Amino acid sequence: MKKINKIKWGIIGLGNIANQFANDLMLLEDAELTAVASRDLAKANDFAQKFNCTKAYDSYEALFADEEVEIIYIATPHNSHTTLSIKALENGKHALCEKPMALSYSDAIQMIEASKKNNRFFMEAFWTRFNPSVKEVLQQVRNGVIGDIKYINADFAFRGSETENQRLFDKNLGGGALFDIGVYPLFLSYILLGKPNEIVAKAIMHKNDIDLQTSMILQYESAQSILHASIVSNSDMKAVIAGSKGRIELNSPWFVADGYSLFINEEKEAVISLPVLGKGYSHEIIECHNCIRNNQIESKYWSHQNSLDLSGIVEEIKNQIKLSF
Ligand SMILES: NC(=O)c1ccc[n+]([C@@H]2O[C@H](COP(=O)([O-])OP(=O)(O)OC[C@H]3O[C@@H](n4cnc5c(N)ncnc54)[C@H](OP(=O)(O)O)[C@@H]3O)[C@@H](O)[C@H]2O)c1
């Protein structure tokens, strides 16, 4: 039997998403969770035990120094992404950093430069880019199935609470709707239509100076995207892409869609089911493995330039709504 050469992962910041990600990592037979690190050793030990990982550290530095680890998944709050990604890359590790990769465009540039300088793979963990429905819809649009895109409507909204979702309401951690979830509808508009000619954004701010909800219009030469993000109300989280010949509706919640519907001239043409692997994170992990095995420092599906472009769009909105981090 052929021996599988497993890619050895480390995870830092053992919170909500780290747990979900580790579950999906377990589904891949060519992945190994080699080490985990928390600021709290007891938490690291519990996490390691839960996921059959042999090494648990009480500092992120210790994991950076672990020679066995090949790639580090950075699952910490937004404000720490830049420093920790650069440290990982400078320690010779590949890095997958949670979205949004940075709180400013200039920080994002530094991260990409660190990847190039150290010749190590780096990707912003934009898992939705690897969602099977999103991938197929992008191909359908590129093939002209719905004609020219005229209108995109997408949102990401849920009712958060200051006690249960402290990170989201904490300005020091880069909280607020735009940076946490607004990046998703912006991502959809960007992958389908590219960088807009003009952006108009309005927000309702919290007393802590983070945005509770933000609505955005992205203006293109012959299309518009109307996008919304909120941490104070629920929405049905559907995404609609309307073109000159037909439209596509991604199943809710669209950022982890398990299928989509295609309408041509208002007739329902097809209902396509495309299940995700695990919770949906395995797809981006497979891409990391492929890139590392092919000695690529970036993915062609979610490239360094893609992340920089999105970061630039977010920065423009951040300035318009006067978010000051
Ligand atoms: N892709 C997705 O679907 C998805 C979903 C949710 C979140 N995210 C992203 O993942 C990142 C983490 O989000 P999360 O929801 O997992 O957050 P979380 O539950 O608060 O976990 C974040 C972890 O970061 C570590 N950390 C380091 N410095 C910290 C600080 N100053 N304050 C608080 N925690 C600190 C902590 O781990 P230790 O105590 O172990 O050091 C904490 O458990 C964010 O970038 C978020 O946008 C992505």
Side-chain angles (χ1 to χ4, degrees):
M1 213 167 65
K2 201 175 158 214
K3 193 172 174 291
I4 299 166
N5 194 8
K6 294 191 181 201
I7 302 275
K8 295 183 163 57
W9 285 80
I11 301 182
I12 61 172
L14 307 179
N16 157 44
I17 193 62
N19 274 277
Q20 297 188 50
F21 183 91
N23 268 319
D24 276 9
L25 198 67
M26 299 294 110
L27 301 178
L28 302 175
E29 61 171 8
D30 64 339
E32 177 186 296
L33 184 54
T34 301
V36 293
S38 167
R39 298 160 304 164
D40 169 351
L41 184 58
K43 191 177 168 191
N45 280 330
D46 285 351
F47 193 100
Q49 200 179 20
K50 181 172 168 192
F51 294 105
N52 266 335
C53 167
T54 47
K55 293 189 238 183
Y57 296 117
D58 66 356
S59 82
Y60 302 161
E61 297 294 337
L63 192 145
F64 291 143
D66 185 319
E67 291 191 354
E68 230 193 320
V69 171
E70 290 172 84
I71 176 164
I72 299 180
Y73 172 54
I74 294 158
T76 57
H78 309 155
N79 64 313
S80 58
H81 288 174
T82 300
T83 312
L84 294 173
S85 295
I86 292 174
K87 273 193 190 160
L89 293 161
E90 285 179 345
N91 277 275
K93 309 301 184 197
H94 306 292
L96 175 69
C97 175
E98 258 311 330
K99 44 53 60 180
M101 66 187 267
L103 290 179
S104 74
Y105 184 72
S106 57
D107 282 356
I109 287 187
Q110 283 185 48
M111 295 158 85
I112 302 299
E113 279 172 359
S115 164
K116 290 186 178 139
K117 188 172 132 221
N118 295 288
N119 196 27
R120 287 294 178 272
F121 171 77
F122 174 81
M123 189 168 82
E124 182 182 29
F126 237 111
W127 61 311
T128 302
R129 178 64 186 87
F130 305 96
N131 171 274
S133 302
V134 170
K135 271 176 113 169
E136 191 168 299
V137 163
L138 185 57
Q139 203 48 56
Q140 297 270 37
V141 169
R142 285 179 179 160
N143 292 345
V145 172
I146 58 165
D148 298 328
I149 298 180
K150 296 293 172 192
Y151 170 63
I152 294 173
N153 182 206
D155 64 11
F156 192 149
F158 64 89
R159 195 170 48 240
S161 97
E162 285 189 55
T163 40
E164 281 169 38
N165 314 96
Q166 281 170 10
R167 178 181 66 73
L168 286 183
F169 290 85
D170 189 337
K171 187 181 176 193
N172 294 323
L173 301 182
L178 172 64
F179 275 81
D180 206 75
I181 50 183
V183 291
Y184 284 94
L186 289 168
F187 152 86
L188 187 68
S189 185
Y190 168 70
I191 55 163
L192 289 161
L193 289 166
K195 290 203 273 182
N197 297 337
E198 202 187 332
I199 300 172
V200 179
K202 288 278 180 195
I204 293 175
M205 304 296 286
H206 187 262
K207 58 181 183 315
N208 296 352
D209 220 12
I210 51 109
D211 63 315
L212 293 172
Q213 62 183 72
T214 295
S215 294
M216 303 156 276
I217 301 177
L218 272 56
Q219 174 88 6
Y220 297 85
E221 198 175 319
S222 59
Q224 292 172 322
S225 298
I226 299 189
L227 314 171
H228 178 73
S230 170
I231 53 172
V232 288
S233 68
N234 293 320
S235 75
D236 61 2
M237 298 205 273
K238 262 196 194 161
V240 179
I241 304 147
S244 52
K245 289 193 212 156
R247 76 176 194 279
I248 288 171
E249 291 182 6
L250 279 159
N251 293 356
S252 171
W254 69 266
F255 46 86
V256 58
D258 60 0
Y260 65 94
S261 300
L262 171 66
F263 298 79
I264 301 291
N265 297 328
E266 291 317 303
E267 293 296 319
K268 200 176 244 191
E269 186 86 1
V271 176
I272 288 113
S273 171
L274 289 167
V276 294
L277 216 53
K279 284 259 174 119
Y281 302 104
S282 303
H283 304 283
E284 68 179 354
I285 299 171
I286 292 168
E287 175 64 2
C288 293
H289 289 187
N290 288 341
C291 290
I292 292 169
R293 293 209 164 97
N294 291 322
N295 297 317
Q296 290 169 227
I297 65 163
E298 63 181 314
S299 162
K300 67 178 181 191
Y301 298 102
W302 191 244
S303 69
H304 290 173
Q305 190 58 50
N306 291 150
S307 283
L308 285 178
D309 287 348
L310 186 63
S311 176
I313 293 169
V314 174
E315 180 123 312
E316 162 74 26
I317 296 164
K318 174 179 130 183
N319 292 338
Q320 287 192 21
I321 65 173
K322 299 189 174 51
L323 199 54
S324 58
F325 40 68

